[in-house]
Amino acid sequence: MVTLPFEKNMYELKSKIDELKNLAIDQNMDLDKEIRQLEIKLYNMQKEAYKNLTAWDKVSIARLVERPTALDYINLIFEDFMELHGDRYYGDDSAIVGGIAYLNGIPVTVIAQQKGNNTKENIKRNFGMPNPEGYRKALRLMKQAEKFKRPVICLVDTPGAYCGLGAEERGQGEAIARNLMEMSTLKTPVISIVIGEGGSGGALALAVADEVWMLEHAIYSILSPEGFASILFKDSSRAKEAANVMKITAQDLINFGIIDRIIKEPLGGAHTNVDEMAASIKRNLEESINRLLWEPIEALLIKRYYKFRKIGKIVE
Amino acid sequence: MFEFKRIFKRSRYIEVKNLENEDGEKRPNIPSGMWVKCKTCGKILYSKDLENSIMTCENCRTHFRIGSRERINYTIDSGTFIEYDKNMISENPIDFEGYEDKLQELRDKTLLNEAVITGEGKINGQDTIIAVMDSNFMMGSMGSVVGEKITRAIEKATEAKKPIIIFTASGGARMQEGIYSLMQMAKTSAAIARHNGKGGLYITVLTDPTTGGVTASFAMLGDIIIAEPNALIGFAGQRVIEQTIKQQLPDGFQKAEFLLQKGFIDKVVDRKAMKDTLTEILKMHS
């Protein structure tokens, strides 16, 4: 069991239950009733804790190494995923995976930011921080999807676009900007789902979509809480406080009208039951893709434009 | 009575004002002192000369930062400018503590309502719509108002079949408005996409500094992208990059000339030649 700071009590109770179970077997005792009672208690504790998560708790969940990554979901949601590589200009960025697959028999294009499940994999994936060629690969695959009238599904999970020397030399800003512009008029339905961290412009570059969803404990923000704290509080160690101030949870963002849907996670977070999580995402996708495919593309594009056009709080 | 000692007393020095305030930020407005020291080459410049050379150092070509009003005066034909959305001001969408006070303080200090001025006017007789960002106002950061004013200006240009010119000067998205600021990147870029769809001309002029969320949205989407000499242009901040890659950045990194060399901008144009260059481009697209 993965333990987050707020799960300490639950971890202790879980250990006790396990002890009792062992005892019951070793001593051949009937402790079923006691065990059941404790399990109910644990369930209620979990339920209560997950109802009252702070923004920082969610940051911790969203960043768990054990949190399912894009490829975990892709393999469970889609059939026959075939990965396609390269941006045709410079290289192939392993922080973004993309390809074609079926969603319940419908051909779709899938593009996702990919983190690793361990250190080695994370180094290969650059911790999910794309370089410009990643965004250009994504755009190439989106244009391909447009040509063949395939809906696009993006899974967003990045701390942010990579801040390296080469990334700047190859135009990180231009690559993100172009995606924002091109996605806004892409003539095929686009759904983006923030599955973990939605970090800044690097996340938005895959999230100019007809519908933007978030998993229940995912976060989506203008900058990492650490970066925000360092800029506005001049102290990066105040990240916890920043997380609460920034309004980055799925619940905040649906209230703002910035996202369209929250997909509930299994109790204890997506990592406790990947199959259940994937099945739930799939159900949501099937319904929505079918609905979006029925809409005339011109109407869809107008809606997409105004979806972002209306965001902003001003006084005149 | 004549005091012999006074002959040897040091006369008062002329005060040379440095173009830097306490935060180490360059002050782009015209300094009040008579003399100004160039931050790059150290030459002492007479402020009237500096104004005559539209705030560029005669010695080393350094372009001082200038405010949006001055920029419009230098660019738009006198008496032709009509400002849009002059009174639009920000709300506090994520209830960030102290944000309203900070905005009020800046409005009082800069006499600007926000970090961008938009409007229409003529450049050597040719109609254009223009947006000029101002780094004096919260480092030109883009929140809801900047995003809205720029989007409206682009939409007006699209509708009126006029060109749009945007002078950028920005530290990026405005942190105090959280996710709302991030979404302005999508909003402005989408407006540019529509403008493109109707065959409209879009010119960006990148001035010092153009970074973060502004670089990663409308700044890099011009049909023609011009930059002022030596302007800092990039996505990530230099300190962040140095911390990420744990090495020092080469000289000239993220400067206008660097971007020209890497193929991300069309031209580096001196401020003195800017109006003529814009005129030429507008003419070819009229």
Side-chain angles (χ1 to χ4, degrees):
Chain A
M1 181 175 163
V2 188
T3 0
L4 289 152
F6 62 89
E7 290 179 317
K8 204 167 160 264
N9 293 340
M10 288 167 253
Y11 180 73
E12 280 162 10
L13 186 60
K14 176 103 189 351
S15 312
K16 242 182 227 158
I17 294 171
D18 290 343
E19 254 173 59
L20 276 185
K21 278 184 182 163
N22 286 335
L23 194 73
I25 294 165
D26 291 348
Q27 310 286 329
N28 202 12
M29 283 157 65
D30 181 18
L31 296 169
D32 282 0
K33 213 174 132 200
E34 287 80 0
I35 289 170
R36 220 180 123 58
Q37 265 176 350
L38 287 177
E39 277 177 340
I40 291 169
K41 194 179 166 195
L42 177 65
Y43 175 80
N44 285 332
M45 268 169 90
Q46 264 188 319
K47 221 169 129 182
E48 202 50 37
Y50 272 84
K51 226 168 42 194
N52 299 310
L53 292 180
T54 65
W56 183 254
D57 293 334
K58 299 215 179 219
V59 173
S60 315
I61 297 172
R63 287 179 179 170
L64 275 178
V65 181
E66 293 80 6
R67 189 156 175 98
T69 64
L71 279 173
D72 296 329
Y73 290 128
I74 289 173
N75 292 325
L76 290 167
I77 295 171
F78 304 99
E79 305 101 57
D80 304 333
F81 174 67
M82 183 192 291
E83 191 176 351
L84 302 172
H85 292 274
D87 69 345
R88 302 293 188 269
Y89 299 113
Y90 177 82
D92 183 45
D93 186 355
S94 48
I96 289 188
V97 297
I100 45 180
Y102 293 100
L103 174 70
N104 214 2
I106 304 169
V108 294
T109 289
V110 186
I111 300 165
Q113 281 148 340
Q114 180 63 29
K115 287 185 182 177
N117 288 118
N118 52 54
T119 309
K120 195 177 156 213
E121 182 71 10
N122 251 326
I123 288 167
K124 180 183 159 199
R125 301 291 181 183
N126 201 28
F127 296 84
M129 295 183 286
N131 273 288
E133 46 277 16
Y135 293 112
R136 293 188 180 119
K137 168 167 72 176
L139 182 58
R140 178 177 77 82
L141 295 178
M142 285 182 215
K143 286 296 199 185
Q144 187 190 72
E146 181 181 55
K147 178 179 175 187
F148 297 106
K149 301 189 169 37
R150 284 193 290 263
V152 177
I153 294 150
C154 296
L155 303 180
V156 175
D157 191 13
T158 180
Y162 188 57
C163 297
L165 196 142
E168 292 289 324
E169 281 181 326
R170 299 193 296 279
Q172 187 73 284
E174 191 273 346
I176 293 172
R178 190 153 305 277
N179 278 22
L180 304 183
M181 183 173 79
E182 295 287 350
M183 286 184 84
S184 76
T185 54
L186 199 77
K187 292 189 196 66
T188 192
V190 186
I191 294 179
S192 295
I193 313 171
V194 185
I195 57 169
E197 273 184 287
S200 194
L204 184 65
L206 292 188
V208 181
D210 298 303
E211 298 203 6
V212 182
W213 304 344
M214 285 175 78
L215 300 194
E216 188 184 355
H217 304 311
I219 53 166
Y220 191 6
S221 62
I222 185 156
L223 191 64
S224 69
E226 288 82 358
F228 189 92
S230 123
I231 291 176
L232 288 182
F233 305 150
K234 313 275 177 232
D235 181 0
S236 63
S237 65
R238 286 169 70 186
K240 239 181 192 177
E241 190 185 334
N244 284 319
V245 169
M246 290 169 74
K247 313 269 162 66
I248 57 177
T249 67
Q251 294 70 25
D252 289 323
L253 300 189
I254 203 154
N255 286 337
F256 290 159
I258 305 256
I259 62 161
D260 305 282
R261 190 180 296 190
I262 298 175
I263 305 181
K264 227 175 135 33
E265 295 190 20
L267 186 61
H271 58 282
T272 57
N273 195 338
V274 192
D275 292 306
E276 190 187 319
M277 188 73 252
S280 170
I281 297 173
K282 186 172 182 171
R283 270 196 309 279
N284 278 278
L285 278 174
E286 281 167 355
E287 176 269 320
S288 299
I289 287 289
N290 278 318
R291 181 167 43 78
L292 292 174
L293 278 172
W294 271 100
E295 287 204 45
I297 194 67
E298 293 75 21
L300 204 63
L301 290 183
I302 290 170
K303 265 196 218 161
R304 195 186 300 162
Y305 185 77
Y306 285 101
K307 174 181 168 59
F308 292 92
R309 178 68 188 84
K310 69 177 199 299
I311 300 175
K313 287 267 196 270
I314 56 161
V315 186
E316 285 187 272
Chain B
M1 199 183 90
F2 177 75
E3 274 186 68
F4 189 69
K5 255 167 55 184
R6 271 192 82 126
I7 295 175
F8 301 102
K9 197 173 173 196
R10 292 198 285 181
S11 58
R12 278 176 58 218
Y13 287 110
I14 296 164
E15 194 189 348
V16 178
K17 278 218 172 150
N18 204 327
L19 272 182
E20 216 175 289
N21 61 17
E22 315 84 59
D23 314 330
E25 268 177 21
K26 275 193 220 160
R27 283 176 49 127
N29 46 347
I30 299 169
S32 49
M34 289 250 289
W35 301 91
V36 177
K37 187 177 176 187
C38 173
K39 210 178 170 298
T40 315
C41 69
K43 193 176 161 75
I44 310 292
L45 306 162
Y46 183 45
S47 65
K48 275 275 173 306
D49 288 345
L50 191 58
E51 276 176 59
N52 289 337
S53 63
I54 46 179
M55 301 306 287
T56 57
C57 172
E58 61 198 18
N59 188 47
C60 72
R61 257 179 102 212
T62 286
H63 285 50
F64 290 90
R65 290 179 183 178
I66 59 172
S68 44
R69 300 252 176 240
E70 288 112 306
R71 179 79 68 182
I72 286 165
N73 288 341
Y74 294 140
T75 313
I76 298 291
D77 298 349
S78 173
T80 65
F81 186 67
I82 301 164
E83 189 173 344
Y84 299 153
D85 305 312
K86 204 172 174 171
N87 301 316
M88 193 191 292
I89 56 170
S90 297
E91 272 190 45
N92 188 359
I94 65 163
D95 294 321
F96 188 78
E97 206 187 318
Y99 183 46
E100 280 119 336
D101 294 343
K102 173 131 196 184
L103 287 169
Q104 188 56 50
E105 195 183 299
L106 276 165
R107 284 194 291 262
D108 294 342
K109 196 179 125 198
T110 61
L111 303 177
L112 297 163
N113 273 336
E114 254 293 340
V116 69
I117 292 180
T118 56
E120 60 181 66
K122 290 183 191 293
I123 296 181
N124 285 321
Q126 297 180 91
D127 284 333
T128 191
I129 289 175
I130 188 170
V132 181
M133 303 184 84
D134 197 317
S135 61
N136 289 309
F137 198 98
M138 226 178 249
M139 213 45 227
S141 58
M142 173 162 66
S144 297
V145 172
V146 170
E148 182 67 23
K149 283 176 88 169
I150 285 181
T151 305
R152 283 189 194 180
I154 299 165
E155 286 175 338
K156 259 196 185 132
T158 311
E159 212 176 296
K161 300 197 182 335
K162 283 182 187 172
I164 169 105
I165 302 174
I166 304 183
F167 282 81
T168 61
S170 178
R174 186 172 298 168
M175 294 301 141
Q176 289 88 342
E177 291 188 28
I179 197 82
Y180 284 89
S181 300
L182 186 71
M183 293 300 145
Q184 304 309 311
M185 294 167 63
K187 179 165 134 183
T188 51
S189 302
I192 293 295
R194 285 194 151 191
H195 190 62
N196 287 343
K198 298 277 183 199
L201 171 66
Y202 171 35
I203 305 170
T204 37
V205 183
L206 313 180
T207 73
D208 190 56
T210 296
T211 58
V214 167
T215 298
S217 60
F218 59 88
M220 281 295 159
L221 296 174
D223 295 303
I224 295 175
I225 306 179
I226 299 171
E228 283 197 331
N230 212 39
L232 178 79
I233 303 157
F235 174 64
Q238 301 214 339
R239 236 182 328 147
V240 178
I241 300 171
E242 278 177 344
Q243 281 163 11
T244 307
I245 62 172
K246 311 233 163 14
Q247 67 190 66
Q248 274 218 314
L249 296 168
D251 279 349
F253 181 68
Q254 289 185 328
K255 293 297 177 137
E257 294 72 16
F258 172 87
L259 270 88
L260 183 70
Q261 191 207 339
K262 296 293 171 194
F264 286 98
I265 58 176
D266 290 286
K267 275 176 104 55
V268 176
V269 174
D270 268 36
R271 194 172 289 160
K272 283 182 216 170
M274 193 63 79
K275 186 166 177 173
D276 287 343
T277 306
L278 291 174
T279 307
E280 281 306 308
I281 298 171
L282 290 179
K283 239 187 226 165
M284 275 186 205
H285 293 82
S286 63

